[in-house]
Amino acid sequence: MAKILLVDDRPENLLALEAILEPLGKRLLYASSGDDALRQLLRHDVAVILLDVQMPGLDGFETAALIKQRERTRHVPIIFVTAISKEEEQVFQGYSAGAVDYVFKPFNPDVLRSKVAVFIELHEKNEQLRRQAEQLKEQELADLRRESEERYRFLAEAQPEQIWTALPSGELDYVNQRALDYFATPFPELVDKGWAEVVHPEDLGRLLDLWQTALATAEPYENELRFRRAADGAYRWHLTRAVPMTDRSGAVVRWFGSNVDIHDQKRAEEAQRFLVDAGAVLAASLDYRSTLAAVASLAVPRIADWARVDVVEDGRLHTLAVEHVDPRKIELAFELTRRYPQNPEAVQGPALVLRTGRSELATEIGDEQLAELAQDDFHLGLVRELGVQSYICVPLVAHGELLGVISLVAAAESGRRYGSEDLALAEELARRVGTAVENAKLYREVAGRAQAARVLETVGDGVFLVDADGIVRLWNGAAEAIAGIARDEIVGRPLDEVLPGWERVRTRAETLPVEREGRERWVSISGVAFDEGIVYAFHDITEERALEQIRQDLVATVSHELRTPLAAIYGSAMTLSRGDLELEGEIEQRLLNVIVEESARLTTIVNDLLLASQLDSGRLAAQIDSCDPRELALSVAEAAATHLPKGRRVVVDTVADDVPRIAVDEAQLRQVLDNLLDNAVKYSPAGGDVRLGVEAIDGAVRFFVADDGLGIPPVEQERIFEKFYRLDPDMTGGVGGTGLGLYIARELVRRVGGRIWVEANEGGGSTFRVEIPAAADQLTQTGQLAASRQ
Ligand code: ADP
């Protein structure tokens, strides 16, 4: 109800006003001062104020000014009531202070009442208008809210994702049509059962945990889970998110959620991971059968509920490996392949892939189709038990050859259905398997080659490979050693450039010379041609060749040397035995002498041969003793003098007194010196003295035998000490010999740590020297002579 504030410091005036305004039936408020009036205005909403002008304290104008200052009371109409201030100026002051009217005492009660009534009515009208305006605003707000809700729903419906909202309790209160379509469940039913019915059983536990935590903490919720799509029963991966909407106090009002289908993305990631893991497994084995077998266990359960790998053998498929998510069904799967072998004419499955070499994808296998495929009831039972809803068969190719077929089957266990993406994944898997098989084979080949190369390195024969262009590609260690050519000197270069003539060698072994470290070596080489070129093998036959030469020389020498004395003996004997010839006693005697001398020569030759053979085989025993070189030299010279040809002399040239003793087999050293004296005489056909001497030289004793004979060219000075080597092998000079004497001499001297060599004399002829270490040197080593000296 509208209120009227009466302000006057005199109670009788207030009373008078009350009496006048009573009939209006409005509530009257009284104030006895300006302050009192302001206080009343703080508490009440007032329609009009009747204000006395003259008051102690705040007067009417001052009070009005304060009222006008206040926002809440600014528009309240004020009627000044006054008895005295009738001057123009005062009236003007009242209006400027905000008065709407001025009433002078004494006043007409009716006029005053009707004036106040107008303001009351105005006030009430205003109030009514204000209330109406408020109602209108509320109405508008409600409309706005509804509209925004609708707009939000609209937005939610327009989304490609599933959108939902839930109450703070977690109960769904809205789900967009897209979600309803996906689950093919009416909203009330969905609310009733919640997500439990449509979420993959494996993901349900995690969903409940996370959702409860979110509800309890009012933190945003996020989860990846599989929702069953009603259309085909497939579980598809979704990313679910929900954020809470809170009011000013922070309390959750509602949850706003969305489910985004991330199935394809997740599948692509999984496929990628699967292929990476597959790569590791495939690389682990070099045996192609175990590589293929690994594929089955790799595929289950990640891309198949059961998998089978068949390999081609004799043009038919044989099952190599079977894997099933349910281990109990593996046996069943084997049973299936055992009982019902592949029909090569089958119009689907591995047999078809084997025939066409192309993959096969069966997205949906209905029970009717299964029944059609089954060969009999038992077969159908097995297949049903194993569960085939969808399958993929892909060919396995390596080196361009079809090795087998991988079959991936989707069964009830996972509820998966294969599509073109799965086919692409299976084909990629097959491709990688093919590569793994190829790699394994390559590796085996390489390993085989490496092994062959290692073997080649250990063989004693030189082995090398020359490619079709004549370039050396391989050169083993033995080849390096025998030919004296390092690998880098020859590999990569044409054979005819490094070893001219070798390239002509073919299957038949040939003997070729090769120079190594300035010396000639001989090799026996043969080659075998094959796809990549020619492989040659060779070995060193230098020693064999030398031995062969020696054998040939021996035969030649022996037959030659033996023939001369034998002919002489034979001739003499024949002459002596002839009965028709009267031989003089002297002739008879000469013939007998020939027989004796030639027999002795034969003996010498045979002895030399024997001795050489004993030296070669190391079977010659030596009797080492202390010996005086002086005595030995004199005694050798003396003995030689007894059988020298006429007119020849051995002169003892130098025999020093201070020659130390030596440790030798005296008989053997004597033979050496005898031989040198014999040769000196033999090879100085023009005669001349042979000089023999012995001297002490720096811890050694040196014998020498010098002649004025034919001499020996410097290039031959080494070789004359070789077995059977003679300067005049054909004996054009008429001097015979086996070529063994100097060889035997060198070997005997070497055995006592000495050496023998020949020098050319200045005026012609040669000097042979034999150096033997002084006994003291040797004694300390052998200890043999210490005793004999004492
Ligand atoms: P043989 O005398 O039986 O031929 P040797 O081994 O004793 O065999 O000698 C080898 C060769 O050395 C002889 O054939 C000869 O040509 C040469 N020869 C050896 N001694 C002399 C020498 N004093 N003067 C020249 N040539 C010699």
Side-chain angles (χ1 to χ4, degrees), residues 561 608 675-676 678-684 705 707 709-712 719-722 724-729 735-744 758 765-768:
E561 280 304 303
D608 278 358
N675 186 259
L676 291 179
D678 276 354
N679 280 352
V681 174
K682 228 169 34 174
Y683 298 106
S684 21
V705 175
D707 63 58
L710 300 169
I712 300 153
R719 300 203 66 184
I720 52 169
F721 294 96
E722 285 174 19
F724 300 118
Y725 194 83
R726 309 192 67 239
L727 292 186
D728 179 17
V735 185
T738 55
L740 282 172
L742 287 181
Y743 169 75
I744 291 169
V758 65
S766 339
T767 300
F768 282 83

mmCIF file of all heavy atoms in Angstrom, residues 561 608 675-676 678-684 705 707 709-712 719-722 724-729 735-744 758 765-768, ligand 1:
data_model
loop_
_atom_site.group_PDB
_atom_site.id
_atom_site.type_symbol
_atom_site.label_atom_id
_atom_site.label_comp_id
_atom_site.label_asym_id
_atom_site.label_seq_id
_atom_site.Cartn_x
_atom_site.Cartn_y
_atom_site.Cartn_z
ATOM 1 N N GLU A 561 128.168 -92.582 -66.376
ATOM 2 C CA GLU A 561 129.385 -92.819 -65.618
ATOM 3 C C GLU A 561 129.692 -94.302 -65.447
ATOM 4 O O GLU A 561 130.835 -94.722 -65.399
ATOM 5 C CB GLU A 561 129.293 -92.151 -64.234
ATOM 6 C CG GLU A 561 129.575 -90.669 -64.254
ATOM 7 C CD GLU A 561 130.933 -90.358 -64.873
ATOM 8 O OE1 GLU A 561 131.945 -90.878 -64.383
ATOM 9 O OE2 GLU A 561 130.950 -89.612 -65.882
ATOM 10 N N ASP A 608 129.981 -92.870 -53.805
ATOM 11 C CA ASP A 608 129.522 -91.475 -53.807
ATOM 12 C C ASP A 608 128.001 -91.391 -53.795
ATOM 13 O O ASP A 608 127.390 -90.596 -53.068
ATOM 14 C CB ASP A 608 130.069 -90.740 -55.040
ATOM 15 C CG ASP A 608 131.509 -90.264 -54.798
ATOM 16 O OD1 ASP A 608 131.997 -90.490 -53.668
ATOM 17 O OD2 ASP A 608 132.107 -89.678 -55.719
ATOM 18 N N ASN A 675 139.043 -85.072 -52.508
ATOM 19 C CA ASN A 675 138.216 -84.738 -53.664
ATOM 20 C C ASN A 675 138.685 -83.443 -54.312
ATOM 21 O O ASN A 675 138.747 -83.326 -55.543
ATOM 22 C CB ASN A 675 136.747 -84.631 -53.227
ATOM 23 C CG ASN A 675 135.813 -84.427 -54.413
ATOM 24 O OD1 ASN A 675 135.387 -83.318 -54.677
ATOM 25 N ND2 ASN A 675 135.553 -85.497 -55.152
ATOM 26 N N LEU A 676 139.029 -82.460 -53.441
ATOM 27 C CA LEU A 676 139.487 -81.172 -53.984
ATOM 28 C C LEU A 676 140.801 -81.361 -54.754
ATOM 29 O O LEU A 676 140.987 -80.781 -55.829
ATOM 30 C CB LEU A 676 139.669 -80.148 -52.855
ATOM 31 C CG LEU A 676 138.387 -79.664 -52.163
ATOM 32 C CD1 LEU A 676 138.709 -78.668 -51.051
ATOM 33 C CD2 LEU A 676 137.426 -79.026 -53.177
ATOM 34 N N ASP A 678 141.844 -84.183 -56.176
ATOM 35 C CA ASP A 678 141.508 -84.922 -57.406
ATOM 36 C C ASP A 678 141.028 -83.976 -58.491
ATOM 37 O O ASP A 678 141.482 -84.022 -59.628
ATOM 38 C CB ASP A 678 140.390 -85.945 -57.134
ATOM 39 C CG ASP A 678 140.952 -87.245 -56.564
ATOM 40 O OD1 ASP A 678 142.193 -87.354 -56.506
ATOM 41 O OD2 ASP A 678 140.135 -88.114 -56.183
ATOM 42 N N ASN A 679 140.062 -83.100 -58.088
ATOM 43 C CA ASN A 679 139.492 -82.156 -59.053
ATOM 44 C C ASN A 679 140.563 -81.219 -59.598
ATOM 45 O O ASN A 679 140.590 -80.917 -60.793
ATOM 46 C CB ASN A 679 138.391 -81.294 -58.401
ATOM 47 C CG ASN A 679 137.068 -82.039 -58.321
ATOM 48 O OD1 ASN A 679 136.952 -83.135 -58.886
ATOM 49 N ND2 ASN A 679 136.104 -81.469 -57.624
ATOM 50 N N ALA A 680 141.440 -80.765 -58.689
ATOM 51 C CA ALA A 680 142.473 -79.806 -59.096
ATOM 52 C C ALA A 680 143.347 -80.425 -60.186
ATOM 53 O O ALA A 680 143.703 -79.757 -61.163
ATOM 54 C CB ALA A 680 143.310 -79.403 -57.892
ATOM 55 N N VAL A 681 143.621 -81.697 -60.009
ATOM 56 C CA VAL A 681 144.437 -82.378 -61.022
ATOM 57 C C VAL A 681 143.615 -82.576 -62.280
ATOM 58 O O VAL A 681 144.053 -82.292 -63.402
ATOM 59 C CB VAL A 681 144.940 -83.722 -60.458
ATOM 60 C CG1 VAL A 681 145.674 -84.508 -61.545
ATOM 61 C CG2 VAL A 681 145.854 -83.497 -59.252
ATOM 62 N N LYS A 682 142.363 -83.083 -62.067
ATOM 63 C CA LYS A 682 141.481 -83.436 -63.183
ATOM 64 C C LYS A 682 141.198 -82.243 -64.093
ATOM 65 O O LYS A 682 141.158 -82.364 -65.310
ATOM 66 C CB LYS A 682 140.148 -83.923 -62.606
ATOM 67 C CG LYS A 682 139.697 -85.211 -63.224
ATOM 68 C CD LYS A 682 138.513 -85.918 -62.530
ATOM 69 C CE LYS A 682 137.454 -85.109 -61.906
ATOM 70 N NZ LYS A 682 136.340 -85.937 -61.412
ATOM 71 N N TYR A 683 140.952 -81.073 -63.460
ATOM 72 C CA TYR A 683 140.516 -79.928 -64.250
ATOM 73 C C TYR A 683 141.662 -78.959 -64.568
ATOM 74 O O TYR A 683 141.443 -77.786 -64.814
ATOM 75 C CB TYR A 683 139.326 -79.205 -63.577
ATOM 76 C CG TYR A 683 138.126 -80.135 -63.464
ATOM 77 C CD1 TYR A 683 137.760 -80.683 -62.257
ATOM 78 C CD2 TYR A 683 137.416 -80.493 -64.637
ATOM 79 C CE1 TYR A 683 136.694 -81.561 -62.170
ATOM 80 C CE2 TYR A 683 136.357 -81.383 -64.552
ATOM 81 C CZ TYR A 683 135.987 -81.916 -63.319
ATOM 82 O OH TYR A 683 134.961 -82.797 -63.267
ATOM 83 N N SER A 684 142.930 -79.495 -64.547
ATOM 84 C CA SER A 684 144.030 -78.691 -65.101
ATOM 85 C C SER A 684 144.768 -79.566 -66.124
ATOM 86 O O SER A 684 145.841 -80.079 -65.853
ATOM 87 C CB SER A 684 144.977 -78.175 -63.999
ATOM 88 O OG SER A 684 144.901 -78.913 -62.831
ATOM 89 N N VAL A 705 143.054 -75.441 -51.592
ATOM 90 C CA VAL A 705 143.611 -76.266 -52.663
ATOM 91 C C VAL A 705 143.559 -75.390 -53.914
ATOM 92 O O VAL A 705 142.477 -74.979 -54.318
ATOM 93 C CB VAL A 705 142.781 -77.549 -52.871
ATOM 94 C CG1 VAL A 705 143.312 -78.337 -54.067
ATOM 95 C CG2 VAL A 705 142.779 -78.398 -51.610
ATOM 96 N N ASP A 707 144.827 -74.498 -58.027
ATOM 97 C CA ASP A 707 145.382 -75.070 -59.252
ATOM 98 C C ASP A 707 145.511 -73.992 -60.312
ATOM 99 O O ASP A 707 144.990 -72.883 -60.143
ATOM 100 C CB ASP A 707 144.497 -76.222 -59.758
ATOM 101 C CG ASP A 707 143.111 -75.764 -60.125
ATOM 102 O OD1 ASP A 707 142.969 -74.870 -60.995
ATOM 103 O OD2 ASP A 707 142.111 -76.290 -59.518
ATOM 104 N N GLY A 709 144.358 -74.572 -63.381
ATOM 105 C CA GLY A 709 143.554 -75.239 -64.416
ATOM 106 C C GLY A 709 142.552 -74.369 -65.159
ATOM 107 O O GLY A 709 142.764 -73.165 -65.362
ATOM 108 N N LEU A 710 141.388 -74.994 -65.477
ATOM 109 C CA LEU A 710 140.382 -74.376 -66.348
ATOM 110 C C LEU A 710 139.692 -73.176 -65.701
ATOM 111 O O LEU A 710 139.193 -72.297 -66.397
ATOM 112 C CB LEU A 710 139.302 -75.409 -66.725
ATOM 113 C CG LEU A 710 139.826 -76.640 -67.484
ATOM 114 C CD1 LEU A 710 138.728 -77.702 -67.562
ATOM 115 C CD2 LEU A 710 140.245 -76.231 -68.898
ATOM 116 N N GLY A 711 139.685 -73.225 -64.392
ATOM 117 C CA GLY A 711 138.989 -72.128 -63.689
ATOM 118 C C GLY A 711 137.465 -72.286 -63.761
ATOM 119 O O GLY A 711 136.954 -73.108 -64.549
ATOM 120 N N ILE A 712 136.789 -71.524 -62.962
ATOM 121 C CA ILE A 712 135.317 -71.614 -62.911
ATOM 122 C C ILE A 712 134.722 -70.208 -63.041
ATOM 123 O O ILE A 712 135.063 -69.320 -62.263
ATOM 124 C CB ILE A 712 134.874 -72.252 -61.584
ATOM 125 C CG1 ILE A 712 135.453 -73.664 -61.463
ATOM 126 C CG2 ILE A 712 133.345 -72.296 -61.456
ATOM 127 C CD1 ILE A 712 135.659 -74.135 -60.077
ATOM 128 N N ARG A 719 126.933 -72.790 -58.112
ATOM 129 C CA ARG A 719 126.187 -73.944 -58.588
ATOM 130 C C ARG A 719 126.997 -75.241 -58.652
ATOM 131 O O ARG A 719 126.421 -76.320 -58.607
ATOM 132 C CB ARG A 719 125.591 -73.647 -59.974
ATOM 133 C CG ARG A 719 124.657 -72.449 -59.912
ATOM 134 C CD ARG A 719 123.666 -72.481 -61.036
ATOM 135 N NE ARG A 719 122.747 -73.600 -60.915
ATOM 136 C CZ ARG A 719 121.821 -73.880 -61.825
ATOM 137 N NH1 ARG A 719 121.719 -73.146 -62.914
ATOM 138 N NH2 ARG A 719 121.018 -74.898 -61.652
ATOM 139 N N ILE A 720 128.330 -75.118 -58.762
ATOM 140 C CA ILE A 720 129.110 -76.367 -58.863
ATOM 141 C C ILE A 720 128.970 -77.228 -57.606
ATOM 142 O O ILE A 720 129.237 -78.413 -57.632
ATOM 143 C CB ILE A 720 130.629 -76.100 -59.131
ATOM 144 C CG1 ILE A 720 131.178 -75.110 -58.096
ATOM 145 C CG2 ILE A 720 130.877 -75.622 -60.560
ATOM 146 C CD1 ILE A 720 132.690 -75.010 -58.138
ATOM 147 N N PHE A 721 128.454 -76.601 -56.522
ATOM 148 C CA PHE A 721 128.277 -77.378 -55.290
ATOM 149 C C PHE A 721 126.925 -78.094 -55.247
ATOM 150 O O PHE A 721 126.622 -78.809 -54.320
ATOM 151 C CB PHE A 721 128.435 -76.469 -54.055
ATOM 152 C CG PHE A 721 129.823 -75.926 -53.897
ATOM 153 C CD1 PHE A 721 130.181 -74.667 -54.359
ATOM 154 C CD2 PHE A 721 130.817 -76.729 -53.303
ATOM 155 C CE1 PHE A 721 131.472 -74.187 -54.236
ATOM 156 C CE2 PHE A 721 132.123 -76.242 -53.171
ATOM 157 C CZ PHE A 721 132.446 -74.962 -53.643
ATOM 158 N N GLU A 722 126.103 -77.879 -56.298
ATOM 159 C CA GLU A 722 124.809 -78.571 -56.343
ATOM 160 C C GLU A 722 125.005 -79.995 -56.816
ATOM 161 O O GLU A 722 125.955 -80.311 -57.527
ATOM 162 C CB GLU A 722 123.844 -77.829 -57.280
ATOM 163 C CG GLU A 722 123.297 -76.556 -56.659
ATOM 164 C CD GLU A 722 122.464 -75.755 -57.648
ATOM 165 O OE1 GLU A 722 122.010 -76.331 -58.658
ATOM 166 O OE2 GLU A 722 122.282 -74.542 -57.404
ATOM 167 N N PHE A 724 124.961 -83.217 -58.758
ATOM 168 C CA PHE A 724 125.075 -83.589 -60.183
ATOM 169 C C PHE A 724 125.444 -82.428 -61.094
ATOM 170 O O PHE A 724 125.381 -82.536 -62.305
ATOM 171 C CB PHE A 724 123.776 -84.216 -60.729
ATOM 172 C CG PHE A 724 123.365 -85.455 -60.008
ATOM 173 C CD1 PHE A 724 122.161 -85.523 -59.317
ATOM 174 C CD2 PHE A 724 124.188 -86.590 -60.022
ATOM 175 C CE1 PHE A 724 121.777 -86.670 -58.672
ATOM 176 C CE2 PHE A 724 123.791 -87.745 -59.363
ATOM 177 C CZ PHE A 724 122.592 -87.784 -58.684
ATOM 178 N N TYR A 725 125.775 -81.287 -60.529
ATOM 179 C CA TYR A 725 126.051 -80.148 -61.403
ATOM 180 C C TYR A 725 127.480 -80.206 -61.920
ATOM 181 O O TYR A 725 128.437 -80.291 -61.167
ATOM 182 C CB TYR A 725 125.808 -78.817 -60.668
ATOM 183 C CG TYR A 725 125.747 -77.643 -61.622
ATOM 184 C CD1 TYR A 725 124.542 -77.354 -62.282
ATOM 185 C CD2 TYR A 725 126.871 -76.874 -61.906
ATOM 186 C CE1 TYR A 725 124.478 -76.313 -63.176
ATOM 187 C CE2 TYR A 725 126.811 -75.835 -62.808
ATOM 188 C CZ TYR A 725 125.607 -75.546 -63.447
ATOM 189 O OH TYR A 725 125.537 -74.519 -64.359
ATOM 190 N N ARG A 726 127.574 -80.120 -63.221
ATOM 191 C CA ARG A 726 128.898 -80.168 -63.830
ATOM 192 C C ARG A 726 128.979 -79.067 -64.879
ATOM 193 O O ARG A 726 127.992 -78.767 -65.543
ATOM 194 C CB ARG A 726 129.153 -81.526 -64.508
ATOM 195 C CG ARG A 726 128.854 -82.706 -63.591
ATOM 196 C CD ARG A 726 129.375 -84.036 -64.144
ATOM 197 N NE ARG A 726 130.811 -84.088 -64.180
ATOM 198 C CZ ARG A 726 131.536 -84.277 -65.303
ATOM 199 N NH1 ARG A 726 130.926 -84.455 -66.448
ATOM 200 N NH2 ARG A 726 132.842 -84.287 -65.268
ATOM 201 N N LEU A 727 130.180 -78.455 -64.987
ATOM 202 C CA LEU A 727 130.327 -77.389 -65.981
ATOM 203 C C LEU A 727 130.294 -77.950 -67.395
ATOM 204 O O LEU A 727 129.870 -77.298 -68.335
ATOM 205 C CB LEU A 727 131.639 -76.633 -65.772
ATOM 206 C CG LEU A 727 131.733 -75.801 -64.497
ATOM 207 C CD1 LEU A 727 133.027 -74.984 -64.489
ATOM 208 C CD2 LEU A 727 130.534 -74.867 -64.385
ATOM 209 N N ASP A 728 130.719 -79.192 -67.517
ATOM 210 C CA ASP A 728 130.784 -79.802 -68.847
ATOM 211 C C ASP A 728 130.063 -81.147 -68.801
ATOM 212 O O ASP A 728 130.691 -82.195 -68.785
ATOM 213 C CB ASP A 728 132.281 -79.987 -69.217
ATOM 214 C CG ASP A 728 132.456 -80.640 -70.578
ATOM 215 O OD1 ASP A 728 131.466 -80.648 -71.372
ATOM 216 O OD2 ASP A 728 133.549 -81.148 -70.824
ATOM 217 N N PRO A 729 128.723 -81.079 -68.747
ATOM 218 C CA PRO A 729 127.975 -82.321 -68.502
ATOM 219 C C PRO A 729 128.190 -83.354 -69.608
ATOM 220 O O PRO A 729 128.109 -84.558 -69.360
ATOM 221 C CB PRO A 729 126.518 -81.855 -68.434
ATOM 222 C CG PRO A 729 126.474 -80.510 -69.024
ATOM 223 C CD PRO A 729 127.851 -79.929 -68.927
ATOM 224 N N VAL A 735 136.752 -85.251 -69.560
ATOM 225 C CA VAL A 735 136.910 -85.538 -68.135
ATOM 226 C C VAL A 735 135.557 -85.975 -67.575
ATOM 227 O O VAL A 735 134.561 -85.266 -67.716
ATOM 228 C CB VAL A 735 137.415 -84.313 -67.367
ATOM 229 C CG1 VAL A 735 137.688 -84.683 -65.906
ATOM 230 C CG2 VAL A 735 138.656 -83.767 -68.027
ATOM 231 N N GLY A 736 135.516 -87.148 -66.942
ATOM 232 C CA GLY A 736 134.235 -87.675 -66.415
ATOM 233 C C GLY A 736 134.049 -87.345 -64.959
ATOM 234 O O GLY A 736 134.975 -86.947 -64.256
ATOM 235 N N GLY A 737 132.865 -87.532 -64.541
ATOM 236 C CA GLY A 737 132.569 -87.317 -63.124
ATOM 237 C C GLY A 737 131.070 -87.396 -62.885
ATOM 238 O O GLY A 737 130.290 -87.254 -63.838
ATOM 239 N N THR A 738 130.650 -87.594 -61.631
ATOM 240 C CA THR A 738 129.223 -87.707 -61.325
ATOM 241 C C THR A 738 128.608 -86.369 -60.957
ATOM 242 O O THR A 738 127.400 -86.215 -60.898
ATOM 243 C CB THR A 738 129.015 -88.646 -60.115
ATOM 244 O OG1 THR A 738 129.805 -88.141 -59.029
ATOM 245 C CG2 THR A 738 129.416 -90.059 -60.441
ATOM 246 N N GLY A 739 129.457 -85.400 -60.668
ATOM 247 C CA GLY A 739 128.904 -84.111 -60.212
ATOM 248 C C GLY A 739 128.467 -84.214 -58.768
ATOM 249 O O GLY A 739 127.725 -83.345 -58.273
ATOM 250 N N LEU A 740 128.923 -85.246 -58.059
ATOM 251 C CA LEU A 740 128.522 -85.422 -56.660
ATOM 252 C C LEU A 740 129.596 -84.979 -55.687
ATOM 253 O O LEU A 740 129.311 -84.666 -54.540
ATOM 254 C CB LEU A 740 128.195 -86.891 -56.393
ATOM 255 C CG LEU A 740 126.833 -87.391 -56.886
ATOM 256 C CD1 LEU A 740 126.748 -88.899 -56.716
ATOM 257 C CD2 LEU A 740 125.709 -86.705 -56.140
ATOM 258 N N GLY A 741 130.875 -84.970 -56.166
ATOM 259 C CA GLY A 741 132.007 -84.711 -55.279
ATOM 260 C C GLY A 741 131.878 -83.438 -54.474
ATOM 261 O O GLY A 741 131.956 -83.431 -53.236
ATOM 262 N N LEU A 742 131.652 -82.300 -55.125
ATOM 263 C CA LEU A 742 131.575 -81.026 -54.410
ATOM 264 C C LEU A 742 130.325 -80.942 -53.550
ATOM 265 O O LEU A 742 130.320 -80.330 -52.487
ATOM 266 C CB LEU A 742 131.634 -79.857 -55.404
ATOM 267 C CG LEU A 742 133.020 -79.610 -56.036
ATOM 268 C CD1 LEU A 742 132.969 -78.409 -56.990
ATOM 269 C CD2 LEU A 742 134.070 -79.365 -54.959
ATOM 270 N N TYR A 743 129.235 -81.599 -54.027
ATOM 271 C CA TYR A 743 128.007 -81.611 -53.238
ATOM 272 C C TYR A 743 128.262 -82.305 -51.912
ATOM 273 O O TYR A 743 127.933 -81.800 -50.839
ATOM 274 C CB TYR A 743 126.892 -82.320 -54.020
ATOM 275 C CG TYR A 743 125.666 -82.615 -53.173
ATOM 276 C CD1 TYR A 743 124.783 -81.579 -52.815
ATOM 277 C CD2 TYR A 743 125.395 -83.899 -52.711
ATOM 278 C CE1 TYR A 743 123.678 -81.839 -52.024
ATOM 279 C CE2 TYR A 743 124.287 -84.162 -51.926
ATOM 280 C CZ TYR A 743 123.429 -83.126 -51.581
ATOM 281 O OH TYR A 743 122.348 -83.383 -50.795
ATOM 282 N N ILE A 744 128.927 -83.497 -52.005
ATOM 283 C CA ILE A 744 129.242 -84.260 -50.794
ATOM 284 C C ILE A 744 130.169 -83.440 -49.896
ATOM 285 O O ILE A 744 129.963 -83.341 -48.682
ATOM 286 C CB ILE A 744 129.871 -85.614 -51.163
ATOM 287 C CG1 ILE A 744 128.809 -86.513 -51.831
ATOM 288 C CG2 ILE A 744 130.442 -86.316 -49.931
ATOM 289 C CD1 ILE A 744 129.368 -87.776 -52.473
ATOM 290 N N VAL A 758 134.717 -71.347 -53.616
ATOM 291 C CA VAL A 758 135.797 -71.321 -54.588
ATOM 292 C C VAL A 758 136.033 -69.900 -55.048
ATOM 293 O O VAL A 758 135.108 -69.105 -55.126
ATOM 294 C CB VAL A 758 135.485 -72.260 -55.788
ATOM 295 C CG1 VAL A 758 134.273 -71.760 -56.567
ATOM 296 C CG2 VAL A 758 136.698 -72.377 -56.732
ATOM 297 N N GLY A 765 143.002 -70.491 -63.201
ATOM 298 C CA GLY A 765 142.831 -71.548 -62.230
ATOM 299 C C GLY A 765 141.970 -71.103 -61.055
ATOM 300 O O GLY A 765 141.497 -69.969 -61.016
ATOM 301 N N SER A 766 141.772 -72.042 -60.116
ATOM 302 C CA SER A 766 140.869 -71.749 -59.004
ATOM 303 C C SER A 766 141.498 -72.139 -57.684
ATOM 304 O O SER A 766 142.412 -72.959 -57.627
ATOM 305 C CB SER A 766 139.562 -72.544 -59.138
ATOM 306 O OG SER A 766 139.349 -72.972 -60.465
ATOM 307 N N THR A 767 140.941 -71.526 -56.636
ATOM 308 C CA THR A 767 141.339 -71.902 -55.283
ATOM 309 C C THR A 767 140.087 -72.246 -54.494
ATOM 310 O O THR A 767 139.162 -71.428 -54.402
ATOM 311 C CB THR A 767 142.083 -70.755 -54.580
ATOM 312 O OG1 THR A 767 143.251 -70.437 -55.332
ATOM 313 C CG2 THR A 767 142.470 -71.155 -53.163
ATOM 314 N N PHE A 768 140.041 -73.491 -54.016
ATOM 315 C CA PHE A 768 138.929 -73.918 -53.155
ATOM 316 C C PHE A 768 139.353 -73.733 -51.713
ATOM 317 O O PHE A 768 140.470 -74.035 -51.347
ATOM 318 C CB PHE A 768 138.594 -75.392 -53.412
ATOM 319 C CG PHE A 768 137.790 -75.595 -54.668
ATOM 320 C CD1 PHE A 768 138.428 -75.672 -55.903
ATOM 321 C CD2 PHE A 768 136.409 -75.698 -54.626
ATOM 322 C CE1 PHE A 768 137.689 -75.847 -57.071
ATOM 323 C CE2 PHE A 768 135.674 -75.873 -55.782
ATOM 324 C CZ PHE A 768 136.299 -75.949 -57.020
HETATM 325 P P1 ADP B 1 132.826 -84.161 -60.877
HETATM 326 O O1 ADP B 1 134.274 -83.757 -60.685
HETATM 327 O O2 ADP B 1 132.587 -85.563 -60.572
HETATM 328 O O3 ADP B 1 132.275 -83.663 -62.139
HETATM 329 P P2 ADP B 1 132.465 -82.387 -58.673
HETATM 330 O O4 ADP B 1 131.308 -82.143 -57.856
HETATM 331 O O5 ADP B 1 133.689 -82.729 -57.958
HETATM 332 O O6 ADP B 1 132.073 -83.408 -59.766
HETATM 333 O O7 ADP B 1 132.744 -81.056 -59.482
HETATM 334 C C1 ADP B 1 131.684 -80.454 -60.114
HETATM 335 C C2 ADP B 1 132.150 -79.669 -61.314
HETATM 336 O O8 ADP B 1 132.921 -78.560 -60.885
HETATM 337 C C3 ADP B 1 133.047 -80.403 -62.207
HETATM 338 O O9 ADP B 1 132.306 -81.143 -63.149
HETATM 339 C C4 ADP B 1 133.836 -79.292 -62.839
HETATM 340 O O10 ADP B 1 133.180 -78.825 -63.950
HETATM 341 C C5 ADP B 1 133.913 -78.235 -61.814
HETATM 342 N N1 ADP B 1 135.205 -78.261 -61.085
HETATM 343 C C6 ADP B 1 135.449 -78.866 -59.902
HETATM 344 N N2 ADP B 1 136.675 -78.592 -59.482
HETATM 345 C C7 ADP B 1 137.233 -77.793 -60.430
HETATM 346 C C8 ADP B 1 138.519 -77.214 -60.593
HETATM 347 N N3 ADP B 1 139.484 -77.360 -59.705
HETATM 348 N N4 ADP B 1 138.714 -76.457 -61.706
HETATM 349 C C9 ADP B 1 137.735 -76.284 -62.630
HETATM 350 N N5 ADP B 1 136.538 -76.807 -62.507
HETATM 351 C C10 ADP B 1 136.269 -77.586 -61.442
#
